[in-house]
């Protein structure tokens, strides 16, 4: 069995790197990350009978905050810039992004059909966080979310 504190420390160590803060996140990668987050949120919602409600709420809170951070700071402004400020075109592209995310969620559901949470989910979200690091309360919520997700995954 994996050691929860060591895994959580390993996963979260990347948040402290100043080099990561300097990197500009790629909109394509971040829409993929939103798909991963949507998938993990779906898994958390479907695991209510397996895990403590408060733990699941902690995981969900961090995921929602991180998803909103990505949308607000990377995806929405990126789509708008790509379309030279044309909000209508940006909105149309957002629909394409949403369809892509839904496709990604379906693919991940095929790969991970069970209801139990696994550490792969925390690793995938953490990999995203290495590319776009939230700040303040959003960062703290994400850290707690990942720590709790690892803890739940190790419960089996």
């Amino acid at each position: 069995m994996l050691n929860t504190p060591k895994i959580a420390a390993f996963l979260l160590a990347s948040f402290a790197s100043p080099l990561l803060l300097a990197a500009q996140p790629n909109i394509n990668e971040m829409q993929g990350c939103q798909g991963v987050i949507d998938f993990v949120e779906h898994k958390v919602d479907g695991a209510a009978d397996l895990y403590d409600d408060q733990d699941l709420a902690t995981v969900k809170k961090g995921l929602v905050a991180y998803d909103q951070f990505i949308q607000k700071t990377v995806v929405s402004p990126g789509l708008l810039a790509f379309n030279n400020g044309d909000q209508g075109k940006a909105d149309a592209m957002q629909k394409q992004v949403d369809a892509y995310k839904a496709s990604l969620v379906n693919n991940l559901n095929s790969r991970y059909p069970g209801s139990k949470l696994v550490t792969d989910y925390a690793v995938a979200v953490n990999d995203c966080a290495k590319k776009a690091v939230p700040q303040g309360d959003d960062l703290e919520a994400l850290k707690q979310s990942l720590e709790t997700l690892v803890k739940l995954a190790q419960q089996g």
Side-chain angles (χ1 to χ4, degrees):
M1 181 173 283
L2 299 171
N3 183 322
T4 302
K6 286 184 181 177
I7 289 176
F10 173 76
L11 288 173
L12 300 173
S14 64
F15 287 118
S17 174
L19 294 175
L20 296 175
L21 295 174
Q24 187 69 289
N26 177 306
I27 190 170
N28 292 329
E29 289 176 329
M30 292 295 96
Q31 67 186 10
C33 288
Q34 284 186 304
V36 169
I37 293 166
D38 289 353
F39 165 75
V40 177
E41 282 184 66
H42 173 74
K43 288 298 184 179
V44 167
D45 290 342
D49 58 336
L50 300 174
Y51 304 101
D52 178 73
D53 289 343
Q54 185 60 43
D55 285 340
L56 293 175
T58 298
V59 173
K60 184 96 177 214
K61 178 181 176 185
L63 294 174
V64 168
Y66 189 48
D67 188 41
Q68 291 173 350
F69 165 79
I70 292 170
Q71 185 66 40
K72 183 173 62 174
T73 63
V74 179
V75 176
S76 290
L79 292 176
L80 195 58
F82 182 79
N83 288 288
N84 296 317
D86 186 325
Q87 188 64 53
K89 288 182 181 178
D91 291 344
M93 285 189 81
Q94 181 65 55
K95 290 179 184 176
Q96 293 174 352
V97 167
D98 294 341
Y100 169 74
K101 291 188 304 184
S103 172
L104 182 58
V105 169
N106 286 335
N107 289 338
L108 289 168
N109 276 323
S110 294
R111 183 172 178 186
Y112 296 96
S115 297
K116 291 185 178 182
L117 302 175
V118 298
T119 55
D120 289 358
Y121 304 164
V123 171
V125 173
N126 187 68
D127 286 347
C128 290
K130 291 177 184 178
K131 298 170 189 157
V133 182
Q135 301 295 311
D137 291 342
D138 289 345
L139 177 58
E140 287 307 311
L142 182 58
K143 285 180 180 181
Q144 291 176 2
S145 177
L146 291 175
E147 289 171 353
T148 305
L149 185 55
V150 169
K151 178 183 90 170
L152 296 176
Q154 291 185 336
Q155 288 177 5

